[in-house]
Amino acid sequence: MSVFISITKVALRPPEVVPRYIANEENGIVYLKELEPVNSPIAFFTIKDPDGKNKVNCYLEGEGPFRLSAYKTYTNEYLLETANTLDYETKRIYNISVVALSMDGSKVRKPIQVYILDENDNAPIFTQPTVEVTIEENNQPNAFLAKLHAIDSDSGERGQVSYFLGPDAPSYFLLDKQTGILTVTTMLDREEKEKYRFTVKARDSGYPPRESIATVHITVLDKNDNSPRFISKDFSFFVPENFPGFGEIGVISVTDADSGQNGWIALSIVNGSDIFVIDTGKGLMRAKVSLDREQQSSYTLWVEASDGGDPTLSSTAKITILLLDVNDNPPMVLFPQSNMSYLLVLPSTLPGSPVTEVYAVDKDTGMNAVIAYSIIGRRGPRPESFRIDSKTGNITLEEALMRDDYGLYRLLVKVTDHGYPEPLFSTVMVNLFVNDTVTNESYIENLLRKDPDINIEEKEPQIAIEPTHKKIEADSCVPTLVTLSIFCLGSVILVTLMAMYICLRKGKKDHRINENLEVQIPLNGKMDFHILDKKPIEISNI
């Protein structure tokens, strides 16, 4: 008997993968937002073995920031979740599969397509975070400055960028919202403002919108549109005369609002002068030589300031240099013309009458030219008889002349100015011959040459009041008086000899009158000495 055994192959059914989606899913496509946090669940997967005899392994195929792990709470349950952050701008679509593999080799795949949804997670980014712009001043209105550009990696409206000026931007700058073109609506002046710094914003259309900031630096370039400007159109400098050569007279201040070569200034004296020079760099005015006010009291110069621009711009200013007087000139005596000249004074001249004058001038000015006259030395029979007016220089007779007062009077007159700090002075000898007439000029001239020097008095001598104090001193009587004093003769012999001598002297005078035919002009009459031709004489300082 034969037994036939037929073995029928029974096909095992493959495992079954059953998904339960947690994330948004549509038609097998899972949508995840890119800002989903790590470990965000996507779906649960249940692995079913229809036969229940085989062990089934489950794993994930495909690349991406995902993880499939067994859900410990339940058997054959697996959780698909994110394993890392998602970035739409890096990768937008992932293709993965959940694979169930049984022990007999049966394999089941459950494909899943994951779409990453874009969110507004990127702010616009300027291609230049700092924008440097230069523009020449005096530009045309609405002049182009720059085109700003920002990129947003987001998609759709979230990536659409608009441009705005920051709150620190001046109102005359405009920024086109759509194109990012920056313009200036007005003319810029570098001298008013050279540099501008403000912010601009790039903002996307996402919700909430994101924005970024860039900084704009605008430099206004200079043009030579400003002439040099003096701080004054008329400078006046007061300089003491005898100021040393190349000493600093004054500073001429000039500025130019332009910059660089356009603001470089050169100074020059327009009307040409061999006396004055000017320092271009510092504006110092100097004189090459010492200046004398008595030669020229003031100078007028025109100074030009030129800049280094192209074309060159310039301006001029007036410079007046006034020399201040320094007491460097002593008074100059014009009359009498010589220390050897003399004047006749008649004995009949009345007291108080002017007999002559001392006339002097001073080249200085102000108090340096105010003159005072004084008698500092006297010689004569009765020298106190004459007085000088300190202001006018007029010499007057103070007391009536007597017979014993005949003879030559010599008055040393000091002419002093009121200069500061030291007054200057000159001296002159005033010679007065008291007599009825001049009979022998050579005799008087001989007396002028032989008369000893006059002692200088500390103060002007006081006029004696009592007649008994009168000092009788005749040049020709001195030897006789000295001889009589030495031998101490008696009063009778002294009077007798004096009388004899006076008589002898009178006889000589009468003899001289007969010999001299010249007639001298008496000075006790009224005369205007200023009408005379007054020539300066050589003066001497004591």
Side-chain angles (χ1 to χ4, degrees):
M1 184 173 98
S2 298
V3 177
F4 294 94
I5 299 174
S6 296
I7 300 173
T8 303
K9 184 179 181 181
V10 178
L12 299 177
R13 289 180 295 177
E16 183 180 356
V17 178
V18 180
R20 299 194 307 277
Y21 291 100
I22 300 173
N24 291 331
E25 181 268 341
E26 185 176 352
N27 298 325
I29 299 175
V30 175
Y31 296 92
L32 294 178
K33 294 181 179 180
E34 61 176 332
L35 294 181
E36 289 288 351
V38 180
N39 301 325
S40 293
I42 298 174
F44 279 107
F45 290 88
T46 302
I47 307 301
K48 294 182 179 181
D49 183 8
D51 296 326
K53 297 178 180 180
N54 296 317
K55 183 179 179 181
V56 178
N57 292 326
C58 188
Y59 60 90
L60 188 66
E61 273 188 353
E63 296 182 355
F66 306 103
R67 179 175 55 238
L68 182 67
S69 57
Y71 196 62
K72 297 180 180 180
T73 307
Y74 301 96
T75 305
N76 295 330
E77 291 285 341
Y78 294 87
L79 174 65
L80 178 64
E81 60 183 354
T82 59
N84 207 338
T85 56
L86 305 175
D87 188 1
Y88 172 86
E89 288 72 35
T90 302
K91 192 171 183 179
R92 303 180 181 182
I93 301 175
Y94 293 91
N95 291 304
I96 58 177
S97 297
V98 176
V99 179
L101 178 62
S102 64
M103 293 298 292
D104 62 357
S106 299
K107 181 185 293 187
V108 176
R109 285 187 179 85
K110 179 61 177 178
I112 302 171
Q113 196 170 43
V114 180
Y115 276 37
I116 307 302
L117 300 177
D118 186 31
E119 290 196 84
N120 194 30
D121 60 339
N122 292 282
I125 298 176
F126 280 98
T127 55
Q128 289 180 289
T130 301
V131 182
E132 301 283 347
V133 180
T134 58
I135 183 173
E136 281 194 343
E137 63 176 331
N138 306 329
N139 56 281
Q140 294 294 328
N142 299 316
F144 171 83
L145 294 176
K147 187 178 188 305
L148 306 180
H149 183 61
I151 299 174
D152 196 316
S153 300
D154 295 323
S155 61
E157 291 184 353
R158 290 177 291 273
Q160 293 180 359
V161 181
S162 300
Y163 301 92
F164 304 91
L165 288 173
D168 54 346
S171 60
Y172 40 85
F173 290 100
L174 289 181
L175 181 60
D176 188 276
K177 180 179 179 180
Q178 302 299 328
T179 63
I181 294 178
L182 179 65
T183 57
V184 57
T185 60
T186 187
M187 181 184 297
L188 299 178
D189 185 0
R190 190 205 67 85
E191 288 70 46
E192 181 178 341
K193 190 170 184 179
E194 182 179 6
K195 293 184 179 296
Y196 296 86
R197 180 182 181 277
F198 54 87
T199 57
V200 291
K201 296 179 181 180
R203 182 182 300 160
D204 62 26
S205 300
Y207 183 82
R210 291 179 176 269
E211 63 182 29
S212 61
I213 296 176
T215 303
V216 177
H217 295 269
I218 298 176
T219 302
V220 183
L221 302 179
D222 184 54
K223 294 182 73 173
N224 193 30
D225 57 345
N226 291 278
S227 301
R229 176 178 293 182
F230 291 92
I231 63 170
S232 173
K233 284 295 184 181
D234 194 345
F235 290 85
S236 295
F237 298 115
F238 296 87
V239 183
E241 63 174 330
N242 305 329
F243 197 68
F246 289 97
E248 181 181 331
I249 292 176
V251 178
I252 300 173
S253 298
V254 58
T255 60
D256 194 312
D258 296 321
S259 64
Q261 191 74 9
N262 295 334
W264 182 84
I265 300 174
L267 295 172
S268 60
I269 301 175
V270 177
N271 53 338
S273 174
D274 296 332
I275 299 177
F276 298 95
V277 293
I278 188 168
D279 187 329
T280 295
K282 299 180 180 179
L284 294 178
M285 176 73 71
R286 305 177 189 270
K288 298 179 183 178
V289 297
S290 180
L291 304 177
D292 186 359
R293 190 203 64 83
E294 284 70 44
Q295 292 184 2
Q296 187 170 342
S297 61
S298 65
Y299 297 85
T300 301
L301 307 173
W302 288 92
V303 173
E304 181 182 57
S306 303
D307 62 25
D310 184 19
T312 299
L313 301 178
S314 63
S315 60
T316 57
K318 180 182 178 182
I319 312 297
T320 303
I321 301 173
L322 302 173
L323 297 184
L324 303 177
D325 185 48
V326 173
N327 193 30
D328 58 347
N329 291 280
M332 183 171 59
V333 178
L334 299 180
F335 188 83
Q337 298 178 358
S338 170
N339 285 336
M340 299 300 292
S341 62
Y342 62 92
L343 297 169
L344 178 64
V345 179
L346 297 178
S348 59
T349 303
L350 297 176
S353 300
V355 295
T356 186
E357 72 168 344
V358 176
Y359 180 72
V361 295
D362 197 310
K363 292 182 180 180
D364 296 318
T365 60
M367 294 302 294
N368 294 335
V370 176
I371 297 175
Y373 302 87
S374 62
I375 298 175
I376 61 172
R378 304 166 184 264
R379 182 176 292 280
R382 189 153 56 92
E384 300 87 349
S385 301
F386 297 95
R387 177 183 176 276
I388 191 168
D389 187 296
S390 62
K391 294 183 179 180
T392 64
N394 291 332
I395 298 177
T396 58
L397 179 65
E398 290 295 293
E399 298 180 1
L401 297 171
M402 297 184 293
R403 192 69 183 178
D404 294 340
D405 298 334
Y406 285 35
L408 180 64
Y409 290 77
R410 307 199 73 184
L411 306 177
L412 182 60
V413 177
K414 181 179 181 181
V415 184
T416 309
D417 62 27
H418 286 66
Y420 178 84
E422 286 292 333
L424 302 178
F425 64 89
S426 301
T427 58
V428 66
M429 193 72 73
V430 178
N431 301 302
L432 303 175
F433 186 62
V434 178
N435 204 358
D436 294 319
T437 185
V438 177
T439 57
N440 191 344
E441 290 187 0
S442 60
Y443 169 73
I444 299 174
E445 292 172 356
N446 186 56
L447 291 178
L448 294 175
R449 284 191 295 269
K450 291 184 177 181
D451 198 34
D453 293 338
I454 296 177
N455 293 330
I456 298 175
E457 304 170 355
E458 291 296 329
K459 296 182 180 180
E460 184 177 349
Q462 299 295 324
I463 302 298
I465 300 176
E466 297 296 332
T468 56
H469 295 164
K470 296 177 182 177
K471 180 181 178 183
I472 302 175
E473 182 183 352
D475 293 339
S476 57
C477 295
V478 172
T480 304
L481 293 176
V482 172
T483 303
L484 292 176
S485 300
I486 295 174
F487 291 102
C488 300
L489 296 178
S491 58
V492 177
I493 298 174
L494 178 60
V495 173
T496 303
L497 291 177
M498 287 289 293
M500 291 174 62
Y501 177 77
I502 292 173
C503 292
L504 179 62
R505 185 179 177 190
K506 181 178 179 184
K508 290 181 179 180
K509 290 180 180 179
D510 293 339
H511 180 67
R512 292 193 192 108
I513 293 173
N514 293 330
E515 291 179 351
N516 191 355
L517 298 179
E518 263 186 78
V519 179
Q520 298 296 326
I521 300 175
L523 299 182
N524 60 343
K526 295 183 179 179
M527 293 185 63
D528 188 358
F529 290 95
H530 297 282
I531 299 178
L532 298 177
D533 184 16
K534 300 177 181 179
K535 299 180 180 178
I537 67 172
E538 294 296 328
I539 57 180
S540 62
N541 291 339
I542 299 297

